[in-house]
Amino acid sequence: MSSDQSLETDQRAGTVTTDQDAGSLCPVVRSIEQIGSQWRLAVLHELQKDEHRFNELKRATGANARTLSRVLEDLGDLGFVDRRIEEDAPIATYYSLTPKGRSLEPVFDEIECWAGSWLEESSDDE
């Protein structure tokens, strides 16, 4: 790698790409880099059902508070999740999907369909 080529490391995902590589990745790989971590998928899937408060998401996903906070911030920065604060006492923060996040619903439906067909079959083979 040349010295003028910048290096990007995503410590959360454990991947290293160069700026040059990022533009040449296929759309599937680029998509998975945005939504593909265990916690991002869990949060996006849970928010497909409805708007949730932080602790509801924490219980539903099993993520610890630090991880969930980081994931929600990342998904917000990427445009998948909205954050809404109600100022009434007690102050409440709600998370919901943006139209971009909501557009993943058919993707989750297809993954569930695939999992129903193939994951059961592969566990029978073991």
Side-chain angles (χ1 to χ4, degrees), residues 47 51 75-76 79-84 94-99:
L47 288 175
E51 175 180 74
L75 289 172
F80 290 102
V81 172
D82 271 336
R83 181 175 173 229
R84 177 176 64 87
Y94 293 88
Y95 297 91
S96 62
L97 293 176
T98 63

Side-chain angles (χ1 to χ4, degrees), residues 7-9 13 20 24 29 33 36 42-43 46 51 64 73-74 77-78 82 84 103 109 111 114 120 125:
L7 186 65
E8 177 184 323
T9 303
Q20 182 180 10
S24 65
V29 172
E33 285 186 343
V43 168
E46 194 60 35
E51 175 180 74
N64 66 43
E73 183 178 334
D74 289 347
D77 290 347
L78 291 166
D82 271 336
R84 177 176 64 87
S103 72
D109 291 344
I111 291 171
W114 178 87
E120 301 235 347
D125 293 340

Side-chain angles (χ1 to χ4, degrees), residues 6 22 26 37 39 41 55 60 65 74 78 84-85 97 101 106 110 118-119 122 125:
S6 69
C26 78
S37 79
W39 300 117
L41 286 170
N55 283 332
D74 289 347
L78 291 166
R84 177 176 64 87
I85 299 173
L97 293 176
E110 286 297 318
W118 290 98
L119 293 184
S122 66
D125 293 340

Side-chain angles (χ1 to χ4, degrees), residues 45-115:
H45 186 258
E46 194 60 35
L47 288 175
Q48 293 289 323
K49 301 171 188 173
D50 200 9
E51 175 180 74
H52 289 290
R53 292 178 69 169
F54 184 88
N55 283 332
E56 292 171 336
L57 281 171
K58 189 172 167 239
R59 280 190 298 277
T61 63
N64 66 43
R66 182 175 181 212
T67 297
L68 182 57
S69 179
R70 186 188 73 229
V71 166
L72 287 166
E73 183 178 334
D74 289 347
L75 289 172
D77 290 347
L78 291 166
F80 290 102
V81 172
D82 271 336
R83 181 175 173 229
R84 177 176 64 87
I85 299 173
E86 283 191 4
E87 299 289 337
D88 299 334
I91 295 176
T93 305
Y94 293 88
Y95 297 91
S96 62
L97 293 176
T98 63
K100 180 179 179 180
R102 180 93 25 229
S103 72
L104 290 169
E105 187 170 356
V107 175
F108 280 102
D109 291 344
E110 286 297 318
I111 291 171
E112 286 179 20
C113 182
W114 178 87

